Amino acid sequence: MNTHLVSVITPCYNAGTTIAQTIESVMSQSYSNWEMLIVDDCSSDNSADIIKSYVSRDARIRYIKTGKPSGSPSKPRNIGLDYSNGDYVAFLDADDIWLPDKLKEQLELAESANVAFIYSDYEKISNEGIRNERFIRMRATSTYWDALESCSIPCLTVLLRRDIIGNTRFKSIAKEDYAFWLEILRQGNTAFNTGKIHALYRESPRSRSANKFEMFKSQWYILREIEGVKMVVAIYFMLMFAVHGFVKYIK
């Protein structure tokens, strides 16, 4: 099982208060054949010092720094993709946490069922890291048309086989991860949910997802401008997006 290298890509910007816990959650994985590429988007806090202290302790962790601040996770993630060597790729932001069997159990599904695109359920935690059993359950599978209706693929839970990524890269737009999944699914791929809680998502009042109006506007932009969905169909998808979003908000 340890034959497949997994590349974990972590964009980081001023995450000094959380990055250590994020790194520790990768180091605590029951699956050990991984590399972690942490791409620092020119942080102005002590993030770099913390990351480098882990680099000195574990050769599987690599520190990369952008030439100048990019202002979004897109460029750091793309740099991580370009420098990674894994057979599989996973994404973990610098304030989120994996549970110990995340990689092991996802790879078991990938290998046993020949699945190339995997995601999982997750749990919301407070900005202070407090857990309160706020479990978010996603749909069992996601096709391209499922994802157009509402994205059920949380970035912090994704595991992708490298060959289906190809030349796909994150666009410098809001909801860049959503557009990334759509491009891969549009090629005929289907994403499968493990049905297990594999990660902890930290709710930050400063996060982009906290601004519901901007999320709504970005969803419309991706549907109409990136995917070219017709107006009437896009309106239907937006209504469904609003319903699914409300359900997640109240949890």
Side-chain angles (χ1 to χ4, degrees), residues 140-247:
T141 61
S142 290
T143 65
Y144 175 70
W145 290 101
D146 291 330
L148 283 177
E149 180 178 300
S150 178
C151 184
S152 290
I153 304 174
C155 188
L156 73 164
T157 72
V158 164
L159 181 73
L160 288 165
R161 204 172 63 208
R162 176 172 291 278
D163 63 291
I164 70 166
I165 298 175
N167 295 321
T168 304
R169 292 296 182 269
F170 291 89
K171 297 177 174 62
S172 295
I173 58 174
K175 299 193 70 172
E176 72 293 326
D177 53 341
Y178 177 48
F180 187 79
W181 315 143
L182 284 172
E183 186 169 344
I184 292 174
L185 294 172
R186 197 190 319 123
Q187 300 165 16
N189 296 296
T190 298
F192 292 82
N193 185 358
T194 62
K196 298 180 179 181
I197 302 292
H198 277 144
L200 307 179
Y201 172 78
R202 190 185 304 269
E203 283 194 307
S204 169
R206 296 173 297 177
S207 71
R208 292 176 299 164
S209 60
N211 189 325
K212 303 307 177 186
F213 175 74
E214 288 300 321
M215 284 184 65
F216 202 80
K217 188 167 68 173
S218 300
Q219 183 80 6
W220 180 255
Y221 176 82
I222 289 175
L223 290 176
R224 294 285 290 149
E225 303 299 326
I226 302 297
E227 297 302 318
V229 177
K230 292 181 179 179
M231 177 73 74
V232 174
V233 180
I235 291 172
Y236 165 77
F237 283 142
M238 289 302 296
L239 290 172
M240 298 306 298
F241 172 74
V243 171
H244 288 294
F246 176 74
V247 172

Side-chain angles (χ1 to χ4, degrees), residues 133-145:
E133 296 187 345
R134 299 167 65 201
F135 304 128
I136 307 300
R137 301 292 182 179
M138 317 309 287
R139 63 165 56 98
T141 61
S142 290
T143 65
Y144 175 70
W145 290 101

